[in-house]
């Protein structure tokens, strides 16, 4: 099943943490919440978005290492020739800073529609020593990136599926690439799992049912976007239709085995809290009761105490190169 979540089980960083930004039912997660008429204050969620992306850092590091390998191929400019990187849908800039570390000769531009999140991105870059080659740009896909300039590498994580016309969004990004440059779209994967199928109470298969509710929510969100157009989400085909070549796709695991530490448990608690907020009304009474019990800090079988809690998810990255 496709993961629309920015790596989580709740709408979070439509940002990559981020991301183009209207939220994801499950996790940049980067965004206005399209479930019914509810609006999310993403500025208020800034700390949550940062922690989401920080949790995903081991997987993101794998992805950036893969990009360096791709850029080393004969048809690529080489990783040291990457002098400008755009992170489109950057949110608070966690991934932007990972890209700055992976490409030490590049200027990195974090692009996001929320200025408050870009302020956090600038603070983070300064704190990590990247401030002299870190820039921000307020804008969102597809038209808000016209003034951002071109780049050798463009990264967009879980932003494209928040644009009504996804093909137009891909074309807008492709048009900003320098010759030989690489576009990376993080879309799809596998939804997270954190509990056994039967975890001791409630009906077995709880997470599968939660995923089905999330998929229904996502379809409604997509249909409600301005200018929404149905499209086969064949991302390599969308990249090549935008004039790019040599499409590649690869998925990376985020595998955090049991037992989890306190910070990792808190991450899962945040995901389930958001699930209650976003999906609770669409679950049946038994599953709502299951969520309530999982979130009870005093319940020995709740996520705060159980020893079998884990995290396993996969995120897919699609790339293609400018001629």
């Amino acid at each position: 099943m496709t993961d629309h979540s920015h790596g989580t089980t709740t709408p979070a960083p439509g940002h990559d943490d981020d991301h183009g930004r209207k939220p994801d039912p499950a996790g940049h997660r980067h965004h206005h919440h399209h479930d019914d008429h509810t609006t999310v204050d993403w500025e208020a969620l800034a700390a949550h978005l940062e922690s989401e992306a920080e949790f995903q850092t081991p997987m993101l590091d794998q992805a950036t290492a893969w990009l360096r390998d791709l850029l080393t191929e004969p048809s690529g400019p080489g990783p040291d020739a990457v002098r400008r990187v755009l992170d489109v849908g950057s949110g608070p800039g966690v991934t932007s800073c990972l890209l700055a570390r992976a490409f030490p000769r590049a200027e990195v531009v974090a692009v996001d529609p929320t200025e408050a999140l870009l302020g956090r991105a600038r603070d983070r870059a300064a704190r990590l020593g990247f401030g002299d080659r870190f820039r921000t740009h307020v804008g969102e896909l597809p038209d808000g990136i016209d003034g951002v300039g071109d780049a050798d590498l463009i990264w967009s994580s879980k932003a494209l599926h928040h644009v009504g016309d996804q093909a137009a969004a891909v074309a807008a990004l492709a048009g900003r690439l320098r010759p030989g440059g690489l576009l990376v779209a993080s879309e799809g994967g596998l939804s997270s799992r954190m509990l056994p199928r039967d975890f001791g109470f409630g009906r077995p298969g709880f997470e599968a049912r939660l995923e089905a509710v999330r998929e229904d929510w996502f379809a409604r969100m997509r249909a409600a976007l301005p200018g929404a157009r149905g499209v086969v989400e064949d991302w390599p085909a969308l990249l090549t239709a935008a004039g790019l070549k040599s499409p590649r796709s690869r998925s990376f695991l985020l595998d955090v085995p049991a037992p989890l530490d306190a910070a990792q448990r808190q991450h899962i608690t945040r995901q389930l809290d958001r699930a209650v907020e976003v999906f609770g009304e669409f679950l049946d009474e038994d599953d709502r009761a299951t969520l309530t019990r999982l979130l009870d800090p005093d319940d020995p079988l709740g996520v705060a105490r159980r020893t079998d809690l884990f995290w396993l998810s996969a995120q897919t990255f699609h790339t293609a190169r400018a001629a």
Side-chain angles (χ1 to χ4, degrees), residues 203-215:
R203 286 180 293 142
F206 168 76
E207 287 188 280
R209 293 191 298 279
L210 186 62
E211 181 177 355
V213 169
R214 187 166 59 239
E215 289 289 336

Side-chain angles (χ1 to χ4, degrees), residues 32-40 217 220-221 224 281-282:
H32 298 292
H33 179 45
H34 293 289
D35 184 34
D36 301 323
H37 302 291
T38 304
T39 299
V40 170
W217 183 94
R220 293 194 302 273
M221 182 277 288
E281 66 180 295
F282 303 109

Side-chain angles (χ1 to χ4, degrees), residues 54 118 209 295 308:
E54 289 167 352
L118 292 177
R209 293 191 298 279
L295 288 166
D308 58 355

Side-chain angles (χ1 to χ4, degrees), residues 19 102 145 159-160 184-186 193 197 208 212 230 260 277 303 307 315:
H19 310 58
I145 64 168
L160 297 174
V184 184
S186 175
R193 288 290 186 268
R197 185 192 67 88
L260 301 187
E277 178 182 343
V303 296
T307 60
Q315 183 61 39

Side-chain angles (χ1 to χ4, degrees), residues 4 19 21 32 72 81 87 103 112 121 128 132 140 147 155-156 173 181-182 228 231 255 272 277 296 306:
H4 308 297
H19 310 58
R21 298 244 307 274
H32 298 292
T72 304
D87 179 8
F103 299 97
D112 198 277
L128 295 176
D132 60 341
E140 64 182 323
W155 170 289
S156 186
L173 294 176
L182 202 64
V231 64
D255 182 5
L272 294 179
E277 178 182 343
D296 183 348
R306 56 187 311 134

Side-chain angles (χ1 to χ4, degrees), residues 3 38 65 72 113 116 139 146 152 156 158 165 171 187 207 232 242 257 262 265 271 274 281 285 308 320 323:
D3 179 17
T38 304
T72 304
D146 287 346
D152 303 296
S156 186
K158 300 174 184 176
D165 188 340
E187 295 287 347
E207 287 188 280
V232 176
R265 290 174 183 276
Q271 307 319 306
R274 294 291 292 156
E281 66 180 295
E285 184 176 351
D308 58 355

